Amino acid sequence: MEVFAGGVRQSDSFFMEFVATIDELMGAETVSPPLRHQALQLAIVFMCGVNQLSPGAYFLRLDLFPSICTLIKSPETRSFTFEAVALLSILANFHKSDSANLNIYLQRIRDVDDRDLMWNICWATSSALDAATKAYQDISDDSPPTLLASFGTFMTSLRPDRALSSTPIDTPRELFKNQPIEASLILLPIFEFLQHNGIFASVLLESLSSFTVPKSSFPPPIPLKLLSFSSYLLTHATSLSSPRATAYANLALHILLNLAENEDISLALSQPCGYDIRLCRQRLPVLPLVPPPRPPLCALLDCCILWLRHNLHKKLEVNLYITCISVCSRIIWFLQKERVRLEYHWQELWASVLGLLDFLSGKFDNPGTSRSVEILVQETLYLLGLAVRKAELILPSPQSLHEFIYELVRTSSILKKQKAVLISVSVPQAQKRTPATSHGAQENLARILKVVDFYEQQIGKSGSRTVREAMRVISREIERDGVHGIWDGQDSFYPLHHGEDVGGCIRYISTDALSLMPSP
């Protein structure tokens, strides 16, 4: 205030005049586009420079939303849409956690119903997501192998100078230390509009509904590009312990949760799509390749698997894992509600979820986060319990059902360890978050183990010694009596909607936005 206004006494008049001038320049269509662009960039530099400090509050005293909308919709300034929505999301997140009800920009995002505005935002989002995804792909070419490429690789390996050479199996993690690129900040406005504005969700739905057959002249809709980019972001997020990448991963997971919680969008995503959504294959083990047509909902589950697989570290991002498990639970809830049998490599999901429980039971030793760990165990057991109860409704074939039950039996020791985990991380009842079923986590686990114990006993009685023999026993029992021990639950209830816990990303968004501004 001393530097800009010459003192605190003059700050109000100076900063209000400063904000009013920016508002007038951005919104005046008679002003030249370059000057309007400079006013927009000045606003971004100021807000990102002060971050959450008090001078930023002056931009909340005057409503700049109409001026920002004019920039986005005017043909002469449409190319500035990326920066305009970045400014809008930064303004909407000013002291969001403690004064959200007083933030006029959040209210504007909730109330706006201008579909042309939202289509322009989607246009800017599309270009930003393309650039952010390509930045990962340029580091390591993970394009699916073709027959010709595979043959070429085989012939190259036969060369004398290559036959004994050692080739890296996994791309070095250090190569991804600067990812994601700054254009990834587009995730914040997407999250804000998807979280708060039903019209925006309907625009995304409309883009999905119109994309029945891929056309070379039309780019894929935003939800499909979000899935592709999220797969790269979630694969590499914590590999270098980068708080910035983790913050972006948190944003991506909350966007996926919002997509999963919107039943209309989930229904559209559950329909086969001819577009081949390219997912990250830069770290082992890679996901199975499935040719289109394939429902995009499968790619959404694949993103969750990538997070579950590649981010298990001693310093576990527990809250992000809770969000990821919630996405999976919401999808399974949707599938059983709509009676959709999804053709999917379910074994990959079950193995990842059970791998998480194994990690929690054997390697997690930070008592300071016991409350969040208990919630994570609760949510994960709820996911497995829901899957057991509804498996016959969501799995595509009897074979996939038998494989699911066998996987639970095979990993019964992991499930049994959860009793000790729940005891060791238990907190007072008043501090617990009620799990999504009517039963506590202990009772939910006991019911799962009851199912597992039954099939273990049947396999033991039969004297089975191989996987094939054990599967034959499980198949015979299920085909005769259905899944044993299925219990009733609250079928009118669906997993709780989680809060907007993305506040930690704003300082990284501000830094990235500043880095995109022209140097003085």
Side-chain angles (χ1 to χ4, degrees):
M1 292 182 179
E2 288 285 345
V3 172
F4 282 93
V8 176
R9 293 183 179 179
Q10 294 82 28
S11 62
D12 272 11
S13 59
F14 173 83
F15 281 111
M16 287 310 299
E17 183 178 354
F18 172 66
V19 175
T21 301
I22 287 179
D23 181 44
E24 183 179 352
L25 289 173
M26 289 196 308
E29 297 193 47
T30 55
V31 175
S32 66
L35 185 56
R36 297 170 71 186
H37 191 200
Q38 289 179 329
L40 169 62
Q41 291 179 327
L42 178 59
I44 293 174
V45 169
F46 182 84
M47 284 303 299
C48 294
V50 301
N51 206 344
Q52 299 292 300
L53 298 178
S54 56
Y58 288 104
F59 274 79
L60 272 67
R61 293 191 186 182
L62 190 66
D63 185 7
L64 275 68
F65 187 79
S67 300
I68 294 173
C69 291
T70 301
L71 276 173
I72 294 173
K73 294 182 64 177
S74 296
E76 298 82 3
T77 55
R78 182 172 178 254
S79 58
F80 312 146
T81 297
F82 174 85
E83 293 161 298
V85 294
L87 174 61
L88 178 58
S89 62
I90 291 167
L91 291 170
N93 278 271
F94 183 79
H95 284 225
K96 184 178 181 181
S97 60
D98 52 9
S99 59
N101 294 332
L102 303 177
N103 192 310
I104 190 172
Y105 300 102
L106 274 178
Q107 189 61 47
R108 287 292 207 168
I109 289 174
R110 292 187 183 101
D111 295 341
V112 65
D113 58 359
D114 190 331
R115 301 179 73 88
D116 290 337
L117 173 75
M118 295 177 188
W119 278 111
N120 282 353
I121 293 174
C122 288
W123 168 78
T125 299
S126 179
S127 300
L129 290 175
D130 284 342
T133 305
K134 188 174 185 298
Y136 281 101
Q137 295 169 348
D138 287 343
I139 294 173
S140 174
D141 182 11
D142 64 337
S143 54
T146 62
L147 181 61
L148 181 61
S150 299
F151 179 74
T153 302
F154 171 72
M155 295 301 296
T156 300
S157 68
L158 298 180
R159 286 171 45 185
D161 61 329
R162 296 292 183 88
L164 300 178
S165 65
S166 60
T167 56
I169 297 176
D170 228 343
T171 306
R173 298 178 183 182
E174 291 76 13
L175 296 177
F176 298 95
K177 63 182 179 180
N178 295 322
Q179 301 301 314
I181 63 172
E182 292 82 356
S184 307
L185 65 84
I186 198 65
L187 291 180
L188 184 58
I190 289 298
F191 169 76
E192 296 295 350
F193 275 91
L194 187 58
Q195 174 84 3
H196 299 295
N197 191 291
I199 303 296
F200 185 76
S202 70
V203 168
L204 295 184
L205 180 62
E206 184 178 335
S207 70
L208 282 170
S209 301
S210 61
F211 194 79
T212 53
V213 178
K215 302 174 183 177
S216 58
S217 57
F218 293 96
I222 296 302
L224 304 191
K225 291 193 174 188
L226 278 169
L227 294 175
S228 182
F229 173 57
S230 295
S231 73
Y232 288 89
L233 179 56
L234 297 176
T235 296
H236 297 285
T238 64
S239 60
L240 290 170
S241 300
S242 165
R244 174 179 171 272
T246 302
Y248 275 112
N250 190 24
L251 256 179
L253 284 169
H254 276 80
I255 289 173
L256 297 184
L257 181 58
N258 275 279
L259 291 175
E261 287 181 330
N262 187 305
E263 293 193 10
D264 292 331
I265 291 179
S266 292
L267 188 60
L269 292 176
S270 68
Q271 306 303 311
C273 173
Y275 179 76
D276 191 7
I277 302 173
R278 182 170 168 181
L279 301 177
C280 181
R281 300 176 58 81
Q282 293 171 334
R283 293 185 66 184
L284 299 175
V286 296
L287 293 165
L289 279 175
V290 182
R294 184 181 184 229
L297 205 58
C298 296
L300 205 164
L301 283 172
D302 282 343
C303 289
C304 294
I305 290 176
L306 290 171
W307 172 263
L308 293 171
R309 277 181 179 175
H310 299 301
N311 297 280
L312 288 174
H313 307 293
K314 186 174 182 180
K315 187 180 179 182
L316 191 69
E317 296 294 338
V318 180
N319 289 330
L320 275 67
Y321 268 87
I322 292 173
T323 304
C324 181
I325 291 295
S326 298
V327 174
C328 298
S329 296
R330 193 62 182 87
I331 291 174
I332 290 179
W333 175 263
F334 164 79
L335 293 174
Q336 64 85 28
K337 179 178 179 292
E338 298 296 328
R339 299 297 194 268
V340 176
R341 296 183 183 273
L342 191 65
E343 287 285 349
Y344 184 64
H345 36 256
W346 287 102
Q347 284 297 96
E348 303 287 336
L349 178 61
W350 310 138
S352 298
V353 171
L354 290 163
L356 170 62
L357 287 177
D358 189 29
F359 181 88
L360 292 175
S361 62
K363 298 181 180 179
F364 203 91
D365 57 0
N366 186 351
T369 55
S370 60
R371 186 188 307 181
S372 56
V373 172
E374 183 186 31
I375 293 173
L376 176 56
V377 175
Q378 280 184 355
E379 296 283 350
T380 308
L381 291 175
Y382 169 72
L383 168 62
L384 285 176
L386 179 65
V388 171
R389 287 173 47 218
K390 305 299 182 181
E392 294 181 276
L393 297 177
I394 66 172
L395 297 181
S397 66
Q399 177 69 19
S400 59
L401 175 59
H402 305 157
E403 290 173 350
F404 175 38
I405 299 300
Y406 174 77
E407 187 68 17
L408 294 176
V409 173
R410 188 184 68 83
T411 57
S412 61
S413 60
I414 295 175
L415 293 169
K416 291 172 182 176
K417 288 179 184 178
Q418 303 314 305
K419 295 179 181 179
V421 173
L422 289 173
I423 293 172
S424 65
V425 300
S426 62
V427 295
Q429 187 66 33
Q431 298 178 0
K432 293 183 180 181
R433 193 182 86 172
T434 304
T437 66
S438 59
H439 309 290
Q442 292 278 10
E443 188 170 353
N444 193 30
L445 175 60
R447 292 176 181 274
I448 296 172
L449 288 176
K450 183 179 179 180
V451 175
V452 172
D453 289 343
F454 172 79
Y455 291 104
E456 272 190 328
Q457 293 172 10
Q458 298 305 312
I459 292 172
K461 290 178 183 178
S462 69
S464 301
R465 296 183 178 182
T466 65
V467 173
R468 180 176 296 181
E469 291 173 350
M471 286 285 292
R472 190 178 297 121
V473 172
I474 292 173
S475 173
R476 183 180 66 244
E477 293 292 333
I478 292 177
E479 289 178 3
R480 185 177 63 197
D481 301 319
V483 178
H484 175 82
I486 295 299
W487 64 98
D488 293 331
Q490 287 185 314
D491 290 343
S492 60
F493 186 83
Y494 54 87
L496 297 176
H497 185 98
H498 293 265
E500 307 169 23
D501 186 20
V502 296
C505 73
I506 188 61
R507 76 182 168 106
Y508 302 107
I509 298 287
S510 297
T511 301
D512 287 348
L514 269 177
S515 68
L516 292 173
M517 294 299 101
S519 301

